[in-house]
Amino acid sequence: MPVRYLSWIITIPIALVIVSFAVSNRDAVELALWPLPFSITVPIYVAVLTTLVLGFLAGGFVAWSADRKHRVAARVRGRKAQQLERDLAREREQRTVAERRVAEAAQTLAAANTPMLDNDAARRAPLAQIGTTAQAR
């Protein structure tokens, strides 16, 4: 069952109770706050529903402010994660550049050593011939 239907299943009965309460309690009541010199006359349902709404909002504010430390900690962790991701990306880029340099250096070294090996083998050939002639004597 989708959440939309569940919310309607809960909302419709609550709305019916509120409407029934408002229709049943239309008598006027005078509201006064003792130190203040004024008073107001309102239907009972307005006074009760206003009190419920203000209580709901006050409870929401208290819950929201109680979660402040968790929201701050989540923001700090989020910033730290972003910083670590940037550091990781920078390190990967540096690693790629270093691997490219190593590969280029290896190619350069291999190219430089190939002629030396040929020359080295050519120089050793006469020495090998000298060694075989010396053994033959």
Side-chain angles (χ1 to χ4, degrees), residues 99-122:
E99 286 175 349
R100 197 175 309 129
R101 286 182 183 167
V102 167
E104 290 171 0
Q107 288 176 348
T108 304
L109 185 60
N113 284 338
T114 302
M116 290 180 76
L117 291 176
D118 292 340
N119 290 339
D120 195 32

Side-chain angles (χ1 to χ4, degrees), residues 43-119:
I44 293 175
Y45 72 90
V46 171
V48 171
L49 293 179
T50 302
T51 304
L52 288 174
V53 168
L54 290 176
F56 177 79
L57 293 175
F61 177 74
V62 167
W64 177 77
S65 60
D67 268 351
R68 181 177 181 273
K69 66 179 179 179
H70 298 294
R71 288 191 312 273
V72 168
R75 263 194 308 272
V76 168
R77 284 191 303 268
R79 284 189 211 120
K80 181 69 174 175
Q82 288 175 348
Q83 180 63 40
L84 290 173
E85 287 174 0
R86 285 192 298 268
D87 291 347
L88 180 61
R90 186 175 55 245
E91 293 295 329
R92 284 182 178 162
E93 179 63 30
Q94 289 175 352
R95 178 179 167 213
T96 304
V97 168
E99 286 175 349
R100 197 175 309 129
R101 286 182 183 167
V102 167
E104 290 171 0
Q107 288 176 348
T108 304
L109 185 60
N113 284 338
T114 302
M116 290 180 76
L117 291 176
D118 292 340
N119 290 339

Side-chain angles (χ1 to χ4, degrees), residues 21-39:
F21 177 80
V23 169
S24 300
N25 295 292
R26 291 183 289 165
D27 297 332
V29 64
E30 185 175 341
L31 300 176
L33 191 56
W34 172 67
L36 300 177
F38 62 89
S39 65

Side-chain angles (χ1 to χ4, degrees), residues 6-25:
L6 183 62
S7 69
W8 280 110
I9 289 172
I10 293 171
T11 304
I12 289 175
I14 291 174
L16 290 174
V17 169
I18 291 172
V19 168
S20 174
F21 177 80
V23 169
S24 300
N25 295 292

